[in-house]
Amino acid sequence: MNLERVVFGFFTILALTFNLIFVMGEIDNPSHHDVWVLTIAILVNLIATGLKLGDRSQIGALLLAASLVADLLLITARIFWIVAESDSATGPTAQATVNIVSLAAGALAANVVSAVILVGDALMSRR
């Protein structure tokens, strides 16, 4: 067992799961989406992206691209949250929450692509 691959896979799957945890719930209900889960998802995605920087293979380039897309969308969602929170004393409105969760769902799609590529690479290396 390669410890580097374990850590790499751990953070990739952890990024996917934190992203999924944030997206779950009614899309327009702000009480179903926690800002701290979004923040942790951003941090875990950034760590996963950092781990992907060292891989110079073709698959590594695809993994890095997918991770950068997820990072960009999650950071944009957090910026939307900050702006929406500053506009209203009660927190993000339903419309703002729809935008935030939609951005996070896009990041979830990118994280699913990363996970599929990771699993595919692992299956190919066993042969």
Side-chain angles (χ1 to χ4, degrees):
M1 178 173 28
N2 185 345
L3 183 60
E4 182 181 333
R5 301 284 293 171
V6 171
V7 171
F8 184 76
F10 171 78
F11 276 103
T12 300
I13 294 170
L14 189 63
L16 173 68
T17 54
F18 267 108
N19 201 167
L20 180 65
I21 290 168
F22 178 75
V23 170
M24 295 295 290
E26 293 180 19
I27 193 168
D28 62 345
N29 189 343
S31 66
H32 290 182
H33 309 283
D34 188 42
V35 67
W36 290 110
V37 174
L38 177 61
T39 304
I40 292 170
I42 291 169
L43 293 174
V44 172
N45 265 289
L46 288 173
I47 292 170
T49 302
L51 292 172
K52 293 170 186 171
L53 286 175
D55 191 356
R56 295 186 180 267
S57 67
Q58 186 72 16
I59 290 176
L62 287 173
L63 286 170
L64 181 61
S67 190
L68 288 172
V69 168
D71 290 341
L72 180 67
L73 290 173
L74 286 173
I75 290 170
T76 304
R78 184 65 173 105
I79 291 170
F80 269 53
W81 190 295
I82 292 168
V83 171
E85 200 169 49
S86 66
D87 288 344
S88 171
T90 59
T93 62
Q95 180 60 39
T97 304
V98 168
N99 291 333
I100 292 165
V101 174
S102 296
L103 286 165
L108 178 63
N111 278 328
V112 167
V113 169
S114 282
V116 168
I117 292 171
L118 182 68
V119 169
D121 185 42
L123 292 175
M124 295 290 284
S125 67
R126 288 188 57 111
R127 291 184 181 176

